Amino acid sequence: MNDTAPNGPTNRGPTNGGPANGGTTKPGPPPGGGPPDRAARRPVRAIALGRTRDLALLPAVLLLLVIGALSNESFLERDNLLNVLSASSALGLLVLAEAMILVSGKMDLSLESIAGLAPALGFMAVIPAVSAGFGTELPTWLGLLIIPLTGALIGAVNGLLIVKLQLNGFIVTLAMNIVLRGVLVGMVSGKTLFDAPAAFLALGSDTWLGVPVSVWVTGACFAGAGWVLRYHRLGRAVYAVGGNAPAARAAGIRVDRVAWGVLVIGGTLAAVAGLVIAGRVGAINANQGQGLIFTVFAAAVIGGISLSGGKGSLAGALLGVLLLGMLENLLTLAQVSSFWIQAIYGAIILVALMTARLITGEGQE
């Protein structure tokens, strides 16, 4: 502890080694009370630990690459690796959305249903009634615009209930997930939506420079969001709100606006992810996105995103996506029965968590 207040008077008199007795003044301990160099080393240790936590899954990803190369000669072929990235792109967008929401101290279980309902609305607004559409046959550009706007609107409603009305986020988004799924089932009435314009499928099926467009889009979203969270004041505000909302509010951060905005962005990303899924399949049905939220949370958590908010990085979340995408591809190439895939999936997640715990020395919250 310090014995004097900042800029205040001191009641210490000369000591036997001080200048008043012809001696020299011995440097006192730093404000933290520890050795002089310990406080200086703390920021360096914090940065090193943060980087280690971000890359904690890298050994597991490299191990899967080695196992895949040894078990199947086609695993490391360019086409297969591009297929892994393409198949993981929609999951990546959903994980990106959930990761940012978790960092802000909230959670959203409705993302999987947004990924189904938002593109379905866009599809039904442009396809004819004979193809199970609304019969409005709106222009293609307007139908495409409906998709992200629907995701943003649902995110805004979640924000209203969670941020403004102070309702429990888990219960609110769970209820919203059920409501949206029921609306989707009622709209399509058990039918599959085909005959959409080619522009609706481009995001999930087209390529650019030999790489699927969905991979470019997902990579750009991760890069942009990662830069904002690390270097921009808005990103720092998201971490501050998730880490300690009262302190963030006292520092002048508009906590409600930040939390609400992240939920809106998350809903928008989920809608785009749904469009990627529809493009890969070429159609939409009532089951699109169902059950994905468990995989989304798994990728985020094993990637180091804290469920308590304020901790984690998008680099770790991206590694979580790659780990699960490679695992699924490896099991498919090995022709593992679908009855065993879920058990293996859960086991790998537990191993990844324990690996991250051993590397970082910190438990997952």
Side-chain angles (χ1 to χ4, degrees):
M1 294 178 62
N2 293 329
D3 295 318
T4 59
N7 301 321
T10 177
N11 56 7
R12 283 185 175 181
T15 58
N16 289 334
N21 295 312
T24 58
T25 303
K26 295 182 179 179
D37 60 334
R38 181 177 299 174
R41 288 199 302 263
R42 286 173 184 167
V44 177
R45 288 179 177 177
I47 293 173
L49 181 59
R51 290 175 178 173
T52 303
R53 188 188 301 114
D54 293 347
L55 301 178
L57 280 185
L58 189 56
V61 172
L62 295 177
L63 178 60
L64 273 184
L65 282 174
V66 173
I67 293 175
L70 295 177
S71 62
N72 194 302
E73 60 182 11
S74 63
F75 180 76
L76 292 182
E77 291 182 359
R78 181 178 182 274
D79 289 343
N80 185 64
L81 293 179
L82 286 178
N83 180 57
V84 172
L85 294 177
S86 178
S88 303
S89 55
L91 175 63
L93 290 172
L94 288 170
V95 170
L96 173 59
E98 193 67 66
M100 291 192 297
I101 294 172
L102 288 173
V103 167
S104 71
K106 309 297 180 184
M107 67 171 54
D108 192 345
L109 302 178
S110 66
L111 294 180
E112 67 168 34
S113 290
I114 295 176
L117 179 63
L121 285 173
F123 269 55
M124 297 180 72
V126 298
I127 62 178
V130 295
S131 299
F134 293 135
T136 54
E137 300 188 43
L138 297 178
T140 299
W141 68 269
L142 187 54
L144 288 171
L145 185 61
I146 287 174
I147 297 173
L149 287 180
T150 299
L153 178 61
I154 296 172
V157 173
N158 284 336
L160 173 65
L161 298 174
I162 297 171
V163 178
K164 289 299 181 182
L165 298 184
Q166 297 294 307
L167 301 180
N168 183 276
F170 179 87
I171 302 300
V172 165
T173 55
L174 177 61
M176 183 64 73
N177 184 47
I178 297 171
V179 169
L180 297 179
R181 182 63 57 182
V183 171
L184 176 59
V185 172
M187 282 197 326
V188 302
S189 301
K191 300 176 182 178
T192 300
L193 305 179
F194 293 103
D195 299 332
F200 279 78
L201 309 178
L203 192 58
S205 59
D206 286 2
T207 60
W208 184 53
L209 299 179
V211 178
V213 174
S214 60
V215 176
W216 288 109
V217 170
T218 302
C221 288
F222 264 95
W227 183 87
V228 170
L229 287 179
R230 181 174 290 271
Y231 299 110
H232 199 275
R233 60 184 180 86
L234 293 178
R236 293 192 292 271
V238 172
Y239 276 101
V241 170
N244 192 328
R249 184 175 284 107
I253 297 175
R254 298 182 176 181
V255 173
D256 290 353
R257 181 175 295 185
V258 170
W260 204 334
V262 172
L263 286 168
V264 171
I265 294 173
T268 305
L269 287 172
V272 176
L275 190 59
V276 172
I277 297 173
R280 283 182 55 83
V281 178
I284 292 180
N285 58 41
N287 294 323
Q288 176 162 306
Q290 190 166 14
L292 265 179
I293 195 63
F294 302 108
T295 308
V296 168
F297 267 93
V301 170
I302 66 176
I305 302 295
S306 174
L307 296 179
S308 61
K311 294 181 182 179
S313 74
L314 296 187
L318 181 58
L319 284 175
V321 173
L322 293 177
L323 178 71
L324 297 186
M326 291 168 54
L327 173 63
E328 182 178 359
N329 180 260
L330 189 59
L331 294 176
T332 301
L333 290 177
Q335 297 181 346
V336 176
S337 171
S338 60
F339 296 106
W340 290 102
I341 286 181
Q342 289 300 318
I344 298 174
Y345 215 63
I348 292 293
I349 292 172
L350 290 176
V351 170
L353 283 173
M354 290 186 289
T355 302
R357 175 66 175 87
L358 293 173
I359 292 177
T360 64
E362 288 190 348
Q364 173 67 50
E365 298 179 7

